[in-house]
Amino acid sequence: MSVSAQSEMAEQDHKGCLCSGVFCTMTESNYLHSSGHSQLSVDLHYQYLGWEQENQGHKDCVWIYCDWLTSLLPIPKAGIPSVVVQDPVRYGPLILKGLFKIFSPRKDLAPEKQAVFCHRVLRTIQTVAAESVSLASSVWHSVLMFLLAICDSLLSPPCQPDDLGGQMCERLLSALFEVWLLACAKSFPSPPQWKTLNELCQKLRHRPELIDVWNRCIVGLIRKLLPNLYGPDFPVPTPGTGNVDQQIIVSAQMSEDSLIQSWYRILHCIGNPCDLVQPSLIAQTQTFLQYAFLSQEVVEPSQHPCLSALPRIFLKAIRTVAFVSDSFLGLKTSQIDSKSFSNSGVVTTKDITTLPPVRRPTKSFSGMPSPSFTSTRVPPSSPLLNFITSNNQQSTSPRLEHEIGSQAPEFKPTVALTLHHPLRPKCATLLHLVGEWLFEAAIVGCAAHLSSNKYGSTGNLRRPGSSNDRRVFMQTSASESDTPVTPPGLVIERFDLGRAEALGALCRIVCSKKTGEEIPSVYLARFCLAVQQALKSSEGRNSPEVVSCFLLNAADLFRLDLDGINMLLSPVIDTLELILYPNSPNKSSSFNSPEIRRSCIQILISLLPLPLHFQGLPVRDMSHTLQSRSFGQYWKKLWALICASILNEVDWNNILLLLGAIFSSSADFQALEQRGAPAFSVGMFGADSDSYSNHSLSTTDYSIPEEPSENGDSPMSSIQTHSGSYDSAGLVAMVAATTICQRLISAWKTEVTVTVAVLETLDGLARLSIHKKGSSEAQKVVKSLCELIIWQCSRPPPAHSKDLHSAIVAAFQCLGSWLSPALLNEPECLSVVLEVIELGISGSTSHSSTGQPQVFKHEKLCKPVSLRVRDAAETLLYIVVELVDYFPSVLGASHIGSLLNEETLAARCGSSVSPKDFRYFATESGTILSLLEEPLGNHQDPQPTVTLVLRNPRGRFVWTMQHRQLSRHSSALRGPPPNPGLPLPLTNDLPPIETTPRCFPEVCDLAPEFLVDKSIPSCETVVQDIEDFDILNRLVEQQTLYEKHEIERRALESNERKQCQPPLPCTDFQAARLILSHLGMVTFSGKSEGLPEEIVPLDSEEVFVDLNQIDSFACRNVDTAFLLYVRTGQSTSQEILGNLNSFDSLDEQFLPFVNSLGWKNKSKLGDKRTRYWADATYELKFVLPDDSYQELVESSIDSSTSSKSGTSGTPVESQTLIVWLECFEDSLNFPTGSLIRRLYSSHPVSEVSTNATVIFIHPLRSGLLRIKLVGPSSKWATAPPLLDGHILSKRAVGTVLRQAVLHNARKRRLLFDNHQSPFARRKQKLLEILSRHRSPFVHTSLFHHPNSKKED
């Protein structure tokens, strides 16, 4: 070190010690007792802070100034000169002026040490601003201008390694905005100050910390603003970029007007966020120009390494704008944490360190306008200029490269987790606020964006009153200069993350459209343009991040009444094909996310009804191609997507969505063909159809079911739409069924939830009657179901659980739906079905494939998997034996069995017969026989007649049988001849022949006598030895007289002979024993005479009362669903129930919809208020209650199934409400609890509204119906066929809703272990009757009338 340098340092130390001593002396001795002394002290401090040499005096000066600033507080610190305390308004600005030098970069002081002084000053200023009660406006002005000045001085230059601005950036900006918000509450800044803040923020947009602090400020303001605007019930949002604790606290003293003004001004203080995609515009400041002039490495200001953080800054800015829009919508958003996006948009050090070695043009800045920045030009003597000049030979340090390269975060697309709030503003209002930024950001880098910039931004698409003149002027000026080389870190692809967030925010705004709300056409046009540019793949760029963000937020796009949205049909379907097809070319790995595929499937589900609904209506395409396509021509594409997705999907939530789509689409296709409009006629599968059909646009185009006739077909089924063995709907559905079965056996059978969902879908497809012809595909489905049951039952014991047994029960139920006469006529198919039934009932099969010896059925031990499985197998056996090809009967689908009972039969026989005349028998298995031996009033043809009433767990059945020698047909042909041809009697009477009665013939008299003949003495010889001889003699005499008298009588009647006549027919029979004998229940031969042990007679005196009770038990599962109508704005149960008092003022589509659910049937509520539907195993009743409705005692249409209680079992009934909404948003305020309590008043209060399922239906202007499903949260709650967000046609809504109600009921029963099926409840009651009325049996009672006296 030279001698001069050492002397200079010694001089500086001497000055520092001298000034420090002077300051201490002046303060300790209270020397500053006048204004002159105080002014002198302030000047000395100000001059000393300007010295470059660091010493103790700097610290003392900073500490003294900070203490003196507390004079602005109500209670200042002790030791402050009284002059300063008495006049703080005068000295406060002077002190701030002196402290400004602390924030100037210094060569002699390390940035870390200088930052300590800066932090102390900022803390003091924040304390003064927060704790002051009444500061003068001039003081507030000085404080704000001080903060603006130091931020401009330190932060406006480009980011440099280890500089003071980089270390203090976050702290400075936080202090600036916090103090600014305090000023807004206490002394609102003037317009010039707001303008200065805007200019400063726009100069500092290259600093990522500015966007962070700006975001926190927006969060704090909007959390306080929303309750003031929309009330305390409006949801307060949480910031999307961090914790709520990171927000800037807004003073509670701020008025509502100040709050609104502050929020709006701060929101716009950084200008248009889309300017961040133009580095030349961001770097168009004097500080960047100076750095470019002095640096040998930076050719253009836009090539500075710090600008490589612009993609990240742009992303943060757009997320803040999106957060504002989401907050006003009342949405709760979240960012999907997916590793697929971890490398998207990351700015690496390689991108910012390798600058192009291009020579700097001489006229690069000659045409650069700078009128807006002349006031901020750095003076030549500025320390900042000296700092830049001293470092102009330095290259970018590794630390800066590392910091900038690590700034790009992992991309997490923002999605909405909740629905929008009903009090939210209109979509047009939000688009007026932030739409211009979002629309422009959504097309950044696209052809539309470049075209709009070329001709002056968005031109006439922008809302009137908005202007971008400054940006247009700068772009025009920049275009006149030579085009600089863009660094790799600033290529337009790096901004795709912010573009994706902008498009996602637009989708959330548009998809939150309310019913009846109108969005201006200019906004819809710009939105469609942004989506079309985002999905464009054939020409232009296609960003995976942008496509993903669109898909995640556009699930409801085609579920709303948006004008012109169908123009996006072609690009959206192309995008779905790119993602859902497994081997799509140019497919990004980010598309493999389950969430993205789920969004694609939801969009696909909303598109499926369009081709079948609009059919030949042409689709307008935004690509302006000459070839126009109709809606119907997209059907093949959409169905192929469904089939491809179901074959390759692994996420079970997505599988459930696809299964629901398959069933609803198949039902719609079949209903379309049943209406006589075959799909082939409107170009459904071809591309050469130009015809237009408005067949499905009718407002009454509902498929109204009719009660099946005896042959099992409805009248509608007679309409044939295709001449082949299968119509197109049946072919499509059968292909889908076989595909589903293939996936079920190969991949899904281990997942119980998916298995049950698949079985529900197959059950629904079977109810479409696509299997009745018994094709090979139907046999494959039946065999697959049997294979599934065998595999599930053969799993090891640790794998058996309640859920597994529920899946087995569901498989048996599904198998019963698929059985048809054609399938049972196939020996192989019938054999497999019977083998599965045997397995379910006994737990094993007779035919073993493991080489074990064959076991006959009567030798097996019954060890079923569970009692529920055994009941399901017995039900399937009953379906095979009794119902297939025999249901419905002549009584229709409303009844199983007979309507006759003992009372009606006795009344038919006459008044002399009563139910007590029946003979009652029971079997140990739970069957009761009632036998009546009366001819039922058929006196014209009296025959031995037996009427049998059989009651078993499946129902009540009646037969009448007559015992005949010949059949009725043979008896009619071989009747008795009118003249039997008997011989005529003789007219001449013959003389009577006199005969003497002899004991022996006359021949005996001719035989000689022998001594042996006299071995027996005569009566006369022994008369003396016989006692009571007189008695015997009198008897002989009496007999002699009687015979003599009889001979005389016959002699008198010999002339009055009559012809012989046949006896009269017998009219009193006891034929019950014959029936029992024929049934093998009784035998009268050998030692087994009498009744077997399984047959037990019942006491006929009391059993009839209990039989009437068991007749009231339902034979099928009975469920009730209530239909409600909600007008716009209604939210109370009384208003909703009152809508159905009269049907005149309801929507014209409502009653056709009600009729599509079932057929009319008489009940206590009347035909207008009930719709009924039934099949072999289930009954559904749809009730339209009014405000006077009270729950009826009956739970089914007829009185034979009116009661479902009375046993120890627990019947489980589903609680389902089907609600027609005029306004879709009314579903948010629907009173589910109060309605369930009123409509299901017999249920416990704990079950009310917790197990209820509400299906909301909202009609769209397009003629389709939008579905919203609200139900209990369980693992099977989202299973098909009906899912939340479904779009259905009027043709298919009845079928799909019935299947949904059935599934909801089955799901409830499968979840309860203590549920008793109707079969089990009736069987238990029958066994109770047997045990209560058992009586001893005497076999001779079968030979007498039941009421006659029984002989032993």
Side-chain angles (χ1 to χ4, degrees), residues 999-1063:
C999 295
F1000 299 98
E1002 295 179 356
V1003 180
C1004 295
D1005 296 337
L1006 300 178
E1009 292 184 357
F1010 293 94
L1011 293 177
V1012 69
D1013 295 331
K1014 297 180 180 180
S1015 61
I1016 300 175
S1018 62
C1019 182
E1020 291 79 4
T1021 58
V1022 295
V1023 66
Q1024 295 84 4
D1025 301 333
I1026 300 176
E1027 297 180 359
D1028 299 330
F1029 177 75
D1030 296 335
I1031 297 176
L1032 181 60
N1033 192 22
R1034 286 195 300 271
L1035 290 175
V1036 172
E1037 292 178 356
Q1038 291 178 1
Q1039 182 64 23
T1040 304
L1041 292 175
Y1042 174 77
E1043 292 180 357
K1044 181 178 180 180
H1045 177 73
E1046 188 66 20
I1047 291 172
E1048 294 175 354
R1049 185 184 64 78
R1050 289 182 179 181
L1052 295 176
E1053 296 179 355
S1054 60
N1055 298 327
E1056 299 180 1
R1057 296 178 181 178
K1058 295 181 179 180
Q1059 184 177 357
C1060 295
Q1061 299 291 336

Side-chain angles (χ1 to χ4, degrees), residues 766-811:
R767 295 178 189 276
L768 297 178
S769 301
I770 63 175
H771 63 290
K772 287 190 174 181
K773 296 184 179 180
S775 65
S776 59
E777 289 80 6
Q779 295 184 33
K780 292 179 182 178
V781 173
V782 171
K783 292 179 180 179
S784 298
L785 293 174
C786 295
E787 181 181 351
L788 174 66
I789 295 174
I790 294 174
W791 181 85
Q792 290 174 328
C793 293
S794 60
R795 298 189 68 181
H800 283 257
S801 62
K802 169 187 172 182
D803 293 342
L804 178 63
H805 295 166
S806 298
I808 299 175
V809 172

